[in-house]
Amino acid sequence: MSTAEDSRYYNDHDDRVGPKFRNRKGRGPFRAPLYSDQVTVGPRSRPRGGPRGGRVPGPRARFDDGDGDVAMSDSSSQDGSSQHRFNPYGRQNRRTDDRFERGRGGGRGRGGNNRGDAAIHNTWFKMSIPHGKKYDKDWLIRGLQNICSVPFTPVHFHTEGNRAQFFVDDSTTANALTRVSRKITDKEGYKVTVLMNPCPPPACLLSELKSADLEHLKQCMAKRFDGSQQALDLNNIRIDPDLVSQNIDVTLNTKNSMRAVNKIIQENIPELVCLNLSNNKLFRLDYLSELVSKVPHLKILNLSHNELKTDRELDKIKGLKLVELWLERNPLCDYFKDQATYVSAMREKFPRLLKLDGQDLPPPIVFDVEDTPAVLPPCKLSYYGSEEIKNAILAFLQQYYSVYDSGDRQPLLDAYHDGAIFSLTVPFTMVNPSRCSLGEYHKDTRNLKKIKDPTTRFRLLKHTRLNVVAFLNELPKTQHDIASLNVDVNTFTNTLLSFTVSGVFKEVEGKSRDSFRAFSRVFITVPAGGTSLCIVNDELFVRNATTEEIRQAFVAPAPTPSSSPVPTLSAPQQEMLNNFSQKSGMNLEWSQKCLQDNEWDYIRAGQVFTDLKAQGKIPDVAFIK
Amino acid sequence: MATGVDFRSLVDASCRYSEEFTNIYYDCMDKKRRTLTRLYLDKATLVWNGNAVSGQAALADFFESLPSSEFSIQTLDCQPVHELATQGQTTLLVVTAGQVKFDGHKQRYFNQNFLLTAQSSPTTDQPVWKIASDCFRFQDWNS
């Protein structure tokens, strides 16, 4: 193995013929076996005179105790004798310091772990593969996983110099990995060596997640979210393959990971009802407590299989109105002298608790000071106020938009009052930024939040109907989905009828052809003889339509302008008609209508047919042959 | 019909009023919800996602029932309303759009517009603006 600084040792990598004494430089007879056989040691990037990169223990020489972790205190591996050379199944790690004992259970037997620092409870090990840089990561990891007796997920796999390195967080895994050292031979014939070295939790855990990683985390969480139950399962999230494959370390017992998760929950699923945080080595709930006020509907919480030591931790989340709690397999459970005391303590923190560790509890008697989280009123369709108004408005819209969509908006002059005013607003940030930008509209948008100059503000207001209609004629040509228009009547008096129309339209020519837009338009009208309306104020807001809006738009085939009698069909049309009728099951009459409405575009007609059929909108009579 | 100069001043003034109004309104909505109805006329109507609410008492109940909010206004536009429609009563159309986060719910985009009318005040000499109508809808109300 060569570290960068040791490149003078050529041939160092060649261990094909078995262990060799590579340290030719004055090391004496007790030159120990390849450091790779020492499982306690790991390569260090510090320049060292003797052992190449390792702690080949020339007797007690130059131990690099840099981090205080690796102390070769025992001599048994230091004699050059071959007894110890291949001893993969013994207790290799000299350091029987209890860190290993502690680590072994991985779980609850942590009583002795007193590094004192509450934030660094875990014991981590840095696994190094000398010359690992040249290997394909997947090949390497999979190879190790295949033969390692303990399943593991590498944390923060990276290369350093020529080495490949990653972290694992318990000694059993680390030891198991070193046992497979030199068991894999690469395609050049060299054996892959694995070394372990205890270390503090890797720095990557201490830094915040980058936004790309947050996005992956969000998607990973989305997969683990059950919308029908409003339940999120973060059990042992650290080993989720989606995160591991992206090298994203989400260790929920660290501040940054928990906060990232909190943020994603707050922003996306604040109506969360059920949360599972089991198997995450949680030993404190400080960061979880930051979520409490943001998830008012959370009722079911699973904290089982964690490291909570005292029930005081739970005081930090007392704000949650839990109905069901899972706590088993936390150290704190052992401190209650009996079940009754345990239940009582939990009930004291969560008065509404009905189920603890899966056991039903008798229902509590509560006080009615419940602060029920407020709910939004449901959204409804158009509000017209009266049938009369509704008819007047519908007639108006029908007429208005048929001219508006006709290609020439000049006739709209008749719809506007002499002194009419019009202005347009377009948001800067799109709801659904698509490839079709709102460029056509941007130059005329009047957004007083962005435009401060009074002259500009004035210029952007179109005043008098000539100016209004001239401007409207410059806007892209459109086709509105009349059926989808929604109308809210703001006000009506005998001189004023004001209403807000919202809906979706499509642009039908130019470079933004086929772009779908959504709009909200306020019309203020005065009566104009009979039931017709005359526009005095018109304010239009346009944005890109969302995917959902596009999907719902134009569901009914747009009415074709001509209702002329059925023209005779050309031969290709006839053939298309027969095919369509056969495939769809509809009779010729209806098949023809569908094809005609879609301009004899077979594929489009087929799609429209399929969609309408799926929605049950095709009457049975269409299928009667 | 207003002459050129007058119309220009009218438009300038409208812009200033609408900016002031939106600041006051949304601040009140977010932080002093109980006092919000004071900004409305007695007979004002609110159409909130198709739900019609009319009169001070109903408005008060309605606003009380909504969770606390955090509004963020992204666009603002306004127009003086033609006197023909208002029978001489000075009226302003204010149109806003942005995002709102109601407590316990996801953040959503919305469109809103108001008709403000100038009313003489019983207490002061200066006329005050009051909301005569308010129309609010989420952009994704149908999903």
Side-chain angles (χ1 to χ4, degrees), chain A residues 99-107 110 121-127 150-153 155 167-178 196-199 238-239 281:
Chain A
R99 207 181 287 128
F100 281 63
E101 305 300 356
R102 272 183 251 135
R104 194 164 310 148
R110 283 261 182 126
H121 259 219
N122 297 344
T123 53
W124 285 86
F125 296 88
K126 188 189 237 181
M127 311 305 304
V150 173
F152 70 94
T153 37
V155 169
F167 298 92
V168 295
D169 70 349
D170 69 88
S171 65
T172 318
T173 313
N175 281 316
L177 275 166
T178 53
M196 70 188 261
N197 213 6
C199 63
R238 195 169 66 74
I239 61 166
K281 300 202 169 122

Side-chain angles (χ1 to χ4, degrees), chain A residues 322-324 347 352-356 359-364:
Chain A
L322 296 181
V323 165
E324 192 177 317
R347 266 260 164 96
R352 278 176 189 73
L353 204 61
L354 291 180
K355 212 164 174 180
L356 178 60
Q359 302 262 20
D360 287 320
L361 305 175

Side-chain angles (χ1 to χ4, degrees), chain A residues 509-533:
Chain A
E509 69 160 21
K511 52 182 156 80
S512 53
R513 187 199 164 98
D514 291 337
S515 307
F516 282 85
R517 316 286 189 197
F519 73 95
S520 172
R521 192 165 189 170
V522 184
F523 286 106
I524 301 183
T525 64
V526 294
T531 51
S532 51
L533 305 171

Side-chain angles (χ1 to χ4, degrees), chain A residues 266-271 293 296-297 374-383 417-431 446-450 452 454-455 457-458 461 463-464 486 488-491 493 495-496 498 500 502 520 522 524-526 536-539 541 543 548-549 552, chain B residues 1-2 4 7-8 11-12 14-16 18-19 22-23 45 47-52 62 64-68 73-82 84-87 91 93 95-97 101-111 113-115 132-143:
Chain A
Q266 271 178 61
E267 287 175 0
N268 295 278
I269 46 171
E271 296 105 338
S293 58
H297 305 266
V375 172
L376 293 175
C379 296
K380 300 193 182 140
L381 294 168
S382 302
Y383 172 73
H417 188 275
D418 272 338
I421 297 175
F422 173 87
S423 59
L424 166 70
T425 336
V426 157
F428 186 69
T429 51
M430 324 298 189
V431 174
R446 187 171 189 255
N447 181 359
L448 303 179
K449 286 221 129 215
K450 298 268 191 257
K452 301 296 183 185
T455 313
R457 287 173 163 187
F458 185 67
L461 200 67
H463 183 216
T464 78
N486 192 78
D488 285 327
V489 174
N490 307 15
T491 314
T493 66
T495 55
L496 178 158
S498 163
T500 311
S502 53
S520 172
V522 184
I524 301 183
T525 64
V526 294
V536 292
N537 288 81
D538 178 358
E539 207 281 347
F541 172 93
R543 59 176 169 86
E548 182 62 25
E549 284 166 334
Q552 289 177 9
Chain B
M1 190 138 101
F7 184 64
R8 169 66 195 256
V11 169
D12 285 351
S14 303
C15 293
R16 289 194 305 270
S18 67
E19 284 177 298
T22 41
N23 289 337
T45 50
V47 179
W48 197 92
N49 284 303
N51 294 287
F62 181 81
E64 176 87 16
S65 77
L66 290 181
S68 56
I73 308 307
Q74 286 156 1
T75 65
L76 167 64
D77 190 9
C78 76
Q79 295 177 3
V81 177
H82 199 287
L84 196 59
T86 65
Q87 294 175 298
T91 306
L93 168 67
V95 181
T96 59
K101 177 151 192 344
F102 284 104
D103 210 22
H105 295 79
K106 267 166 79 149
Q107 193 171 53
R108 293 168 88 165
Y109 287 93
F110 72 91
N111 286 99
N113 62 79
F114 304 88
L115 281 177
S133 84
D134 175 357
C135 179
F136 177 96
R137 228 177 231 283
F138 289 128
Q139 287 181 5
D140 62 347
W141 63 273
N142 209 7
S143 55

Side-chain angles (χ1 to χ4, degrees), chain A residues 359-507:
Chain A
Q359 302 262 20
D360 287 320
L361 305 175
I365 305 172
V366 292
F367 294 93
D368 191 11
V369 284
E370 178 110 11
D371 196 23
T372 38
V375 172
L376 293 175
C379 296
K380 300 193 182 140
L381 294 168
S382 302
Y383 172 73
Y384 290 100
S386 82
E387 206 50 36
E388 214 184 307
I389 292 180
K390 177 174 174 181
N391 293 333
I393 291 178
L394 286 178
F396 166 82
L397 291 175
Q398 190 69 29
Q399 216 183 4
Y400 186 88
Y401 282 109
S402 69
V403 177
Y404 199 87
D405 287 345
S406 70
D408 174 22
R409 297 181 179 133
Q410 199 68 11
L412 288 176
L413 278 171
D414 291 335
Y416 286 89
H417 188 275
D418 272 338
I421 297 175
F422 173 87
S423 59
L424 166 70
T425 336
V426 157
F428 186 69
T429 51
M430 324 298 189
V431 174
N432 182 23
S434 61
R435 53 187 168 82
C436 313
S437 74
L438 291 165
E440 285 292 308
Y441 302 94
H442 272 304
K443 58 179 168 43
D444 292 292
T445 172
R446 187 171 189 255
N447 181 359
L448 303 179
K449 286 221 129 215
K450 298 268 191 257
I451 295 166
K452 301 296 183 185
D453 170 50
T455 313
T456 317
R457 287 173 163 187
F458 185 67
R459 177 175 60 76
L460 289 171
L461 200 67
K462 313 297 172 194
H463 183 216
T464 78
R465 64 175 168 165
L466 289 171
N467 289 330
V468 170
V469 176
F471 175 75
L472 290 177
N473 241 341
E474 286 167 26
L475 291 176
K477 307 225 181 306
T478 57
Q479 188 186 11
H480 283 72
D481 180 7
I482 309 284
S484 79
L485 294 184
N486 192 78
V487 178
D488 285 327
V489 174
N490 307 15
T491 314
F492 67 94
T493 66
N494 19 350
T495 55
L496 178 158
L497 173 57
S498 163
F499 51 96
T500 311
V501 184
S502 53
V504 168
F505 65 85
K506 196 164 72 164
E507 286 177 18

